[in-house]
Amino acid sequence: MDFGVVLQTDPPAREVVRLMVDAERRGFRYGWTFDSCVLWQEPFVIYSQILAQTSSMIVGPMVTNPSTRDWSVTASLFATLNDMFGNRTVCGIGRGDSARRVIGQRPASLAVLAESMYVIRELAEGREAQLHGAAVKIPWVRDGRLEIWMAAYGPKALKLVGEQADGFILQTADPAIARWTIGAVREAAAAAGRDPGGITMCVAAPAYVGDNVAHQRDQLRWFGGMVGNHVADLVARYGESGPVPRELTDYIKGREGYDYAHHGKAGNPSTDFVPDEIVDRFCLLGPASAHIARLEELADLGVDQFSLYLMHDAKEHTLAAYGDEIINKLD
């Protein structure tokens, strides 16, 4: 199993870079960041610094979207970094949540997302694609390579992952949800004539190593609220008795709005509705042995990478614990 770390690009950027450098030293192969450039600093500027100060770490957004940048800009950003540092980027992408909603816009449709994934990959790898009715090609790309990993929860989005994406990002560490979503992606890939085993399965969730579980829950409760934003859209589309597992939908019944000013932050007041049970299922907490047990369960379900969100008050301790006690147990 590969490991990644997910950070917000809070200022100062040098602290984000420092933590990524430390993560690579401790055995993390991927460095991800949020991409919501009103709430946090512009990630692609910071990626250049991370890549310059690491030797092999692969970096990218978890996740970008098709709508806040022109697709030619997104492709050129990745292609430029790859030209400078040797194809060490990955494009995590979804419909868009915080990046879109904080500027008064709705998430993109799946049709737009599907077209954007194709165009961004084609341009970033130096091929011609149709964009805004014109034939476009980035002429300076040489030997470009860009994998597209798509974040998804609902049936139609999971089908699109299987049909088109190089990787699947599931933002919850609940084994029951992982089993259902990974199965749906693989089924869609097979139906599309693709090799299901060729799609990288990535689970991303907060992890906090320690013994004070009550404190850890309070620090990680924000994640249930973030996932709840996507689940609320699914319930609106499919209904409470739709095809989405109840493990994912039941807990949002007490949800009453959401303030993106606290998005992804410990102590988010918009997430009081998230019960302890959901924190325990969606996140990894407790001592290192508990993390290893959950990760082994996820690996048995076909998860290739675990990427841990570090939005809590023990970032460096958790990084160190993963490097010293956990990563080598899952090699």
Side-chain angles (χ1 to χ4, degrees):
M1 179 182 282
D2 278 337
F3 286 83
V5 61
V6 189
L7 300 175
Q8 291 170 337
T9 53
D10 288 312
R14 63 178 177 274
E15 181 66 8
V16 179
V17 176
R18 185 188 69 82
L19 284 170
M20 290 294 191
V21 171
D22 187 38
E24 182 185 59
R25 182 174 65 85
R26 296 185 182 280
F28 290 84
R29 292 192 60 232
Y30 283 74
W32 303 92
T33 74
F34 282 38
D35 178 17
S36 191
C37 51
V38 171
L39 295 177
W40 304 287
Q41 292 184 329
E42 169 57 52
F44 284 92
V45 177
I46 299 171
Y47 294 156
S48 187
Q49 293 293 310
I50 295 169
L51 290 165
Q53 295 186 43
T54 57
S55 61
S56 59
M57 177 174 272
I58 298 168
V59 305
M62 188 176 282
V63 292
T64 192
N65 69 85
S67 307
T68 53
R69 299 180 187 88
D70 188 83
W71 302 344
S72 64
V73 173
T74 301
S76 184
L77 287 166
F78 282 112
T80 300
L81 292 171
N82 283 339
D83 186 67
M84 293 173 68
F85 299 103
N87 289 337
R88 288 171 53 201
T89 68
V90 57
C91 177
I93 194 168
R95 295 175 57 231
D97 179 34
S98 62
R100 294 291 292 161
R101 297 187 198 274
V102 297
I103 59 172
Q105 301 294 312
R106 293 177 57 82
S109 68
L110 286 177
V112 169
L113 178 56
E115 185 181 1
S116 76
M117 289 195 295
Y118 174 78
V119 171
I120 290 168
R121 185 195 287 112
E122 292 298 289
L123 294 180
E125 295 188 346
R127 295 183 291 275
E128 182 179 292
Q130 289 292 316
L131 181 62
H132 312 308
V136 178
K137 182 178 181 179
I138 301 177
W140 46 263
V141 173
R142 298 291 183 272
D143 301 317
R145 170 69 176 153
L146 182 66
E147 289 194 354
I148 308 285
W149 295 15
M150 181 182 153
Y153 292 107
K156 292 180 180 178
L158 294 168
K159 182 173 182 288
L160 177 57
V161 175
E163 292 172 343
Q164 190 170 332
D166 300 298
F168 167 48
I169 297 172
L170 173 63
Q171 291 166 307
T172 174
D174 185 312
I177 297 170
R179 182 180 296 105
W180 175 72
T181 54
I182 289 172
V185 168
R186 287 175 170 165
E187 182 179 346
R194 303 180 69 203
D195 175 13
I199 301 173
T200 302
M201 304 295 176
C202 172
V203 162
Y208 190 137
V209 179
D211 296 320
N212 189 341
V213 173
H215 176 73
Q216 293 173 31
R217 285 173 178 148
D218 287 341
Q219 286 284 300
L220 304 184
R221 203 174 305 277
W222 63 266
F223 185 67
M226 187 181 86
V227 173
N229 297 330
H230 302 285
V231 174
D233 285 346
L234 293 176
V235 171
R237 183 175 299 113
Y238 296 105
E240 293 185 3
S241 59
V244 182
R246 300 188 72 85
E247 290 92 343
L248 191 58
T249 60
D250 278 355
Y251 81 99
I252 68 163
K253 291 177 181 177
R255 181 178 183 270
E256 297 179 357
Y258 189 85
D259 183 355
Y260 281 91
H262 307 285
H263 189 57
K265 298 182 185 296
N268 185 338
S270 300
T271 61
D272 291 344
F273 70 94
V274 179
D276 289 350
E277 177 193 1
I278 288 295
V279 181
D280 293 351
R281 282 170 35 199
F282 284 17
C283 307
L284 275 69
L285 37 82
S289 58
H291 291 243
I292 292 169
R294 176 72 67 83
L295 290 168
E296 288 176 339
E297 186 176 4
L298 291 170
D300 287 343
L301 295 174
V303 174
D304 301 298
Q305 179 183 142
F306 176 65
S307 285
L308 61 98
Y309 287 93
L310 272 185
M311 290 92 197
H312 53 67
D313 61 3
K315 295 181 179 67
E316 295 190 52
H317 171 75
T318 294
L319 273 183
Y322 265 74
D324 295 342
E325 304 177 63
I326 299 173
I327 289 177
N328 61 359
K329 298 293 195 303
L330 278 297
D331 285 344

